[in-house]
Amino acid sequence: MAVDHGEQIRIVQETVAGKEITFAHVMGGPAPIIYQKLGLNPQVDYSASAIGIMNMTPPESAVIASDIAVKSGNVYLGFADRFTGTLIVTGEISDVTSALTEIVDYFRDTLGYVVCNITKR
């Protein structure tokens, strides 16, 4: 059986981001240097006792998540990036935990996203 290498097959692969929250973590009592390295406002953030960080796809979901976070309680929106899907919020540990929980619940129950567990340390 002869193989003809004259014709080549071109395969185009595309990746399609799913609707998911891939990372949700609460850092309780982070050191002040972490606030500085993340570029968070020291006047606002040093009094806070927790940082919450999330990542989601599609990345524009971070806009919805930031709205839910600031409406859920007394948290400061440290960073929201609609290009990478990253969200950072700061505040008291209970408020940050509550904000991340509200986001995860809404995305899972209303928007049909696949979500991860919220981790804490």
Side-chain angles (χ1 to χ4, degrees):
M1 190 191 289
V3 177
D4 182 13
H5 291 288
E7 272 190 54
Q8 294 184 356
I9 297 174
R10 174 174 275 195
I11 298 174
V12 177
Q13 283 187 303
E14 290 185 33
T15 57
V16 178
K19 295 181 350 180
E20 60 186 335
I21 294 177
T22 56
F23 182 71
H25 184 76
V26 177
M27 294 184 290
I33 189 70
I34 295 174
Y35 289 100
Q36 291 173 331
K37 294 295 181 179
L38 290 175
L40 300 172
N41 185 350
Q43 270 61 34
V44 175
D45 299 327
Y46 282 160
S47 64
S49 60
I51 296 174
I53 184 166
M54 303 182 81
N55 192 270
M56 56 205 68
T57 57
E60 298 85 1
S61 303
V63 176
I64 298 168
S66 62
D67 180 60
I68 293 169
V70 297
K71 290 177 179 175
S72 71
N74 191 24
V75 295
Y76 171 75
L77 182 60
F79 182 75
D81 189 349
R82 69 178 194 260
F83 301 108
T84 63
T86 301
L87 174 72
I88 298 175
V89 295
T90 61
E92 295 297 321
I93 194 161
S94 60
D95 292 325
V96 170
T97 302
S98 177
L100 267 59
T101 301
E102 294 245 354
I103 293 166
V104 167
D105 290 349
Y106 181 79
F107 275 63
R108 181 191 58 234
D109 299 339
T110 305
L111 299 178
Y113 278 49
V114 174
V115 299
C116 65
N117 291 328
I118 299 171
T119 56
K120 297 179 189 177
R121 177 137 172 122

